[in-house]
Amino acid sequence: MCGFVLLLNRTARNRPPSGPDPCAALAHRGPDAEGHLDLDGGAWRAELHFRRLAVVDLDPRSDQPFGTPERGVMVYNGEIYNAPRLRELLRGRRVAFTTKGDTEVLYELLLQPDAPRLLDQVDGMFAFALVLPDGEIRYGRDRLGVKPLYAASDAAGRLAALASEIEPLRAAGLAGEADPVAVAQGAMFLWTPPPRTGWRRVCAVPAGTVLAARAPAYDEVSPRWRAGPVAPAEDIGAAVRTSVARQLRADVTVGLLLSGGLDSTWLAVEMAGRGFSGPSFAARPRTPAARAEPFEDDAPYAARVSRRLGLPLTWVDLDVDVLRRIPELVATTEVPFGDPAAVALMQLSRAARGEATVLLSGLGVEELFLGYERYQAVWLLQRFPAWARPALGATSAVPAPRRYRGRADKFGRLLQLGALDWSWATQAYYSRREWAALSPLVGLDAITERHREVAGAVLDAGGTPLAALAECDRRLFLPGLNLLYADRASMRASVELRVPFLGEPVVAAALGAVAEDQVRLGDGKARFRAAAVASGVPQFVARRPKTGFGAPVRSLLREHGARLWREVRRSPLFDDVFDRRTADRLVAEHVQGRRDRGLAVFGLLCAAVWWERNAAAGAGRTADVLSGYEAAAVG
C-alpha cells in the first residue's frame, strides 16, 4: 500500500530540481521508504515519485519505482492477493524473479504480450502507472476501484500527470478551476460520482480499466484492458473463505475492524477459524447518541461476538461531535464529500496504527449483494405497472408515523419518477422541486448525468430497474463513497485497509446471480445472509437490523445548528453555487424539528468548507467556525 506521482513532459521539466518533493503530500501513504526516478527520452520526459508502506516483502529490493529504463519502470499502489499463483504461472514462462513481493509479479505480468488476458486472473486491489522504454504510459485500476488513481490534463487536453491523491496535482498547478457541478453533487448525494473530482482538469481513472497514452504528446488515450464478466460461482461461503485466507497474508501485523454486524462478524468467524487471535478493534461513542438518532448501538454486539469467538477486543472511544471534525473530513477526502461515517474510520485507523499495519473490513457487501433498503424499494417499484405509479404516489401523501415519514416521502417521490431516475433519486437528499430552488445555477440534469448514463445503458440492454440501480452502485457509489473514504481515512493514518468481500472470488459469487434473486422484501442481501449463517455467524447477529456509524448528526444540528448557521450562511458558497434563502429554510426545517434534514444540512456544511478551501481565495471562515465550537454532551 503506497502512494505515487507521475509527472510528464512540461510538468516534469518545469519543476525546479531543488523544489519540493511532489510526493511530500503523500507521506502518510508511505512512511517506510521513498523513491524518485527521472526518465528522459529526448522528445518526452517522465518523473516518477513514490512513497512506500511496506506490507508484503519488506526487503528494500521491492521498493519503487520498480524496473529498469530498458524494460520499463512501474509505480504501484495496492496488493495482489493471488501473487503466489501468478508467480508460478510466470515462472512457467521462464520469468526469473529477484524479490518475493507482489510488486515484481504485477510488473512482470504487465510486460507479457498477453497482459490484458492475464489481468483477468488478478485478484487484488491495485492502481499503477508503467512507463515503457519508448515513453508510452500504461495505467489503470482494479475492477471495483478499491485503490484510487487520478489523471490530470493540461490546458490542451494532454495527459500531464497521474497520482494516488489529488493534492500533488494541485501542488503542480494542474488541477484547474473548481468544478461547481461536483460541489453540487456532493451536497445532493454526500459524495461525488466519478469521474468528477471537484476540479475541472482532474478526473478519476475509471475502475476496472487499463489505459495507454503514447509519447511524446500524450494527447490520445486508448483502452488496453477492461475488466470483463466474471465466471459465475455459486458457493458464497467457499468464495468468502478463499478471499479471507488470501487477504490475511502479510509480513506485518493484521487486525480486524469488528462492529458486531453481519459482515464484520463473518470475517471474524473465518479469521478465528484460521487461528487469528487479534488485534481486533471496535468503536463505541464517548457519549451516547440521542434517542432521536436512527442507530442501534454496535458495541454490545461487538462485545458478544468477541466473547463467542475468543477474540481479544480493543475499544476505541469515538468523539462523535462530528460537526467540528468537518474541516478534517474535507481535507482528508479531498473531493466534495459529506458522509460522517468517514469520521469514525479516521479515528479507528489512528487508534489501530500502533498495533496493526493492515486492517480487514467488511465493507462492500451491501453493494455486491444488494443490502441497502433502496434495493427493496426499487424491487417493489418495478412490480407496479408504470401507469399506476403516479396514482400510488399521490396516496403516499397520507401522514405516516414519524419514524417512517422520511422513507414514505422518498418512496412517494420515486413513484412520481420514471425508472431511469430511480438510480439517482434513491440516494438524493433533495426532491426535484427543492433542488431547483436551492441550486438555480447547477441544474438537476448536470448532477444526475452519470447516474442516468449508467442506468440507461442497462435499461436499454433489457435489464431491470433493480439491475440498473445495482450497476450504478457498483460503478459510481462504491468507488465514489465507501471505497474513497475507506482509502483516505485509513491511509491518512498509514494503515492498509483490506476488503475481503470485494475479492475476486466473492465478486464472482455475487455477480453470477440475477439481481432479483439477491433481494427479499424485508431482507436485503438474502443469499449472503443465508451463507453467513451456514458458515457459523450466530443468529443474534444475522437478524439484527442494519446500522451505520451512530454519529448524532441530527441531534447536534438541532441543538447547535441555529447558532452555527448564522456564521456558515455567510460562506461564499451561497453566493457562487447555492441560494442562501432556500438553504436558510432547509436548515430551519431541521432545527425547528419540522422535518429531519440532518444529513442534508451536514452536506451543506461540508460543501461550504470545501468551497472556501478550494475555490474562494483567502476564505476559510466556515472551517474556523466549525473547528472552534464545542458542543455540549449529546444524550
Side-chain angles (χ1 to χ4, degrees), residues 246-292:
R246 288 177 177 177
Q247 298 198 27
L248 274 173
R249 297 178 188 139
D251 294 327
V252 293
T253 303
V254 176
L256 169 68
L257 294 180
L258 179 63
S259 69
L262 177 68
D263 311 336
S264 68
T265 298
W266 194 354
L267 286 184
V269 168
E270 299 298 339
M271 293 166 72
R274 293 184 169 274
F276 176 82
S277 58
S280 301
F281 304 91
R284 60 189 177 191
R286 291 177 188 166
T287 55
R291 293 179 182 177

Side-chain angles (χ1 to χ4, degrees), residues 277-466:
S277 58
S280 301
F281 304 91
R284 60 189 177 191
R286 291 177 188 166
T287 55
R291 293 179 182 177
E293 300 295 336
F295 298 110
E296 185 176 18
D297 189 1
D298 280 339
Y301 290 94
R304 192 171 172 185
V305 169
S306 69
R307 289 194 299 269
R308 168 77 69 95
L309 299 176
L311 293 177
L313 198 59
T314 298
W315 289 104
V316 179
D317 292 324
L318 299 184
D319 174 7
V320 295
D321 186 3
V322 293
L323 301 185
R324 62 189 177 90
R325 291 186 174 273
I326 286 175
E328 181 187 9
L329 171 65
V330 169
T332 298
T333 54
E334 295 193 297
V335 303
F337 189 91
D339 190 331
V343 176
L345 186 56
M346 287 158 55
Q347 296 180 65
L348 275 165
S349 299
R350 279 196 295 266
R353 182 60 174 102
E355 299 182 51
T357 305
V358 174
L359 292 174
L360 267 59
S361 164
L363 185 147
V365 172
E366 310 302 326
E367 294 85 358
L368 282 189
F369 292 93
L370 280 59
Y372 294 121
E373 282 189 356
R374 60 176 174 266
Y375 299 124
Q376 297 177 58
V378 169
W379 178 84
L380 187 60
L381 282 165
Q382 68 185 24
R383 300 170 81 89
F384 298 144
W387 60 265
R389 291 175 196 142
L392 290 169
T395 66
S396 70
V398 176
R402 185 180 183 88
R403 64 179 296 190
Y404 299 115
R405 190 173 302 164
R407 294 172 181 169
D409 288 348
K410 178 169 280 192
F411 194 75
R413 294 199 299 269
L414 293 173
L415 283 163
Q416 302 292 334
L417 298 172
L420 183 61
D421 291 312
W422 291 343
S423 59
W424 66 262
T426 51
Q427 301 171 37
Y429 284 88
Y430 299 94
S431 68
R432 279 180 178 269
R433 180 178 299 178
E434 289 170 340
W435 187 257
L438 177 66
S439 180
L441 299 179
V442 183
L444 192 64
D445 288 346
I447 65 169
T448 62
E449 178 184 19
R450 188 73 178 113
H451 281 87
R452 292 165 63 89
E453 177 185 326
V454 174
V458 175
L459 295 172
D460 290 346
T464 64
L466 181 60

Side-chain angles (χ1 to χ4, degrees), residues 138-150:
R138 294 181 184 173
Y139 58 101
R141 299 172 72 191
D142 58 80
R143 175 189 296 277
L144 295 174
V146 180
K147 289 293 97 189
L149 183 59
Y150 297 99

Side-chain angles (χ1 to χ4, degrees), residues 484-559:
L484 182 135
Y485 87 71
D487 173 84
R488 294 300 197 285
S490 59
M491 289 305 296
R492 183 66 61 162
S494 302
V495 169
E496 173 175 295
L497 192 77
R498 294 181 176 179
V499 282
F501 292 126
L502 296 184
E504 286 289 302
V506 185
V507 171
L511 301 189
V514 175
E516 282 71 14
D517 292 342
Q518 304 271 31
V519 177
R520 303 286 183 275
L521 193 60
D523 184 14
K525 60 184 182 187
R527 292 174 63 241
F528 183 88
R529 190 181 310 277
V533 171
S535 297
V537 172
Q539 285 288 347
F540 74 85
V541 170
R543 291 302 162 190
R544 66 168 292 200
K546 175 175 172 51
T547 187
F549 171 41
V553 170
R554 297 161 179 83
S555 304
L556 284 167
L557 285 170
R558 287 223 168 96
E559 184 173 356

